Amino acid sequence: MDEALLRSLTPQVLAILVRRGADFAAAEDAVQDALVEAVRVWPADPPRDPRGWLVTVAWRRFLDAVRADAARRRREDLVDEEPGPGPTPSADDTLRLYFLCAHPSLTPSSAVALTLRAVGGLTTRQIAQAYLVPEATMAQRISRAKRTVSGVRLDRPGDVATVLRVLYLVFNEGYSGDVDLAAEAIRLTRQLAAAIDHPEVSGLLALMLLHHARRATRTAPDGSLVPLAEQDRGRWDTASIAEGVRILQAALARDRLGEFQAQAAVAALHADAPTAEETDWVQIVEWYDELTRLTDSPVARLNRAVAVGEADGPRAGLAALAALDDSLPRHTAVAAYLHERDGDLTTAARLYTEAARKAPNLAERDHLTRQAARLNTRADR
């Protein structure tokens, strides 16, 4: 069986059933039944039109379920609307499914889970493993999400920005269990880019590719974090970098700048620098200026303070940092780094220790603890 083919066809078939009038939960059950039948039948008798075969079988399974449910007898008229066999029309159904899974009535975690299930074709077990929760918990989350969007009619254009935020949440989960969510997010964003002509979709795809290109160098063999400046640039994925830059340049040429394009431009400048010392920090500051203008994001302003510290000196960076709320995540770590750059090792060591206590994960805590120990050792000499 070609599992990649089945995964690519699943959201298309599901979206067709929803467009024909099936509610989301019932449509997904029917599609899963059709996939089971495909696994049984296709090895011996592969269809000439796999998508059409799946649509026909799934629709019939849906109708069987409707007939068996006495509470839904009012929907028996759907039987008369069963289309004849043959190729299914080419319609933008997968795009509708993206918008449905990113419906504003869903929480971000539910939207991500439903997108991975319905559009990504992952099993509930795989999604649960990726998020390190029991399978029963994830099944309940997905069931609630399906109930929420059942009956929702997409009679207005969907919110592309919401879909992109959901995909970026998937990407940032990285890797856990047997599912590489970063790679899955790139695959889904490629699919979205093929279905919709939007510069911010291209911007997000470029951003993902540029970040993913550095993935192999972000951690040492012992699992410890490797800062960007210390990464082995010879191990970066140059093909992904070249593709990301090409996609970004095409998006920027359309002169409809958005936040993901601005973030991708920063990532491209990092990727383009042969060494950390040759990074064009002045341009990076300019792109962060654009990003803060677009989003007024505190995180973007924090990153801008780091860039200012590199472009104009650590004291300029500390001045930019002073204007921000010190309760921001990683604010203390940035302050520690800039104080170290300014030569105040005692303050930097104290701040690294404080930042370690606030770290959101074990790897980051260990990295910051090592930075504090390094400076304390230097101070003792």
Side-chain angles (χ1 to χ4, degrees), residues 1 14 38-39 71 82 104 149 174 177 179 183 185 211 270 272 297 330 336 367:
M1 287 298 299
L14 177 56
V39 170
E82 179 178 357
V149 300
V179 178
H211 279 324
H270 283 299
D272 188 53
S297 162
R330 298 185 173 89
H367 171 73

Side-chain angles (χ1 to χ4, degrees), residues 18-223:
V18 171
R19 176 166 55 84
R20 288 181 178 177
D23 70 74
F24 190 95
E28 203 212 10
D29 288 342
V31 171
Q32 294 302 313
D33 286 344
L35 292 173
V36 171
E37 187 68 7
V39 170
R40 187 182 70 83
V41 172
W42 285 12
D45 185 20
R48 284 181 296 180
D49 177 14
R51 188 176 77 156
W53 189 98
L54 286 171
V55 169
T56 298
V57 173
W59 185 249
R60 287 173 179 167
R61 294 298 173 90
F62 166 69
L63 293 179
D64 288 344
V66 170
R67 295 189 189 100
D69 189 345
R72 296 179 183 177
R73 291 187 183 280
R74 57 187 174 81
R75 298 168 63 182
E76 286 287 347
D77 58 343
L78 291 174
V79 175
D80 299 328
E81 299 175 15
E82 179 178 357
T88 56
S90 178
D92 198 7
D93 292 304
T94 302
L95 182 59
R96 294 168 61 89
L97 196 58
Y98 271 100
F99 290 131
L100 187 62
C101 292
H103 195 269
S105 62
L106 295 173
T107 64
S109 60
S110 294
V112 167
L114 192 59
T115 298
L116 289 173
R117 183 76 175 89
V119 185
L122 301 185
T123 66
T124 302
R125 179 186 61 81
Q126 288 174 318
I127 301 169
Q129 285 185 342
Y131 281 88
L132 304 177
V133 300
E135 184 173 351
T137 300
M138 183 56 68
Q140 291 175 352
R141 184 181 302 175
I142 293 173
S143 294
R144 285 195 299 268
K146 287 193 290 186
R147 286 196 299 270
T148 299
V149 300
S150 288
V152 171
R153 310 302 297 179
L154 293 177
D155 52 359
R156 291 178 297 176
D159 183 4
V160 175
T162 301
V163 174
L164 296 183
R165 281 194 293 272
V166 168
L167 289 174
Y168 198 37
L169 285 172
V170 175
F171 179 79
N172 285 326
E173 288 298 326
Y175 175 83
S176 184
D178 62 354
V179 178
D180 185 337
L181 289 181
E184 181 65 15
I186 291 173
R187 186 183 75 83
L188 294 178
T189 307
R190 284 190 191 279
Q191 188 181 70
L192 183 62
I196 183 172
D197 183 21
H198 195 293
E200 272 292 82
V201 177
S202 298
L204 178 58
L205 179 57
L207 177 63
M208 289 179 175
L209 289 168
L210 290 164
H211 279 324
H212 205 55
R214 305 198 301 263
R215 172 174 169 174
T217 64
R218 287 201 182 104
T219 56
D222 63 359

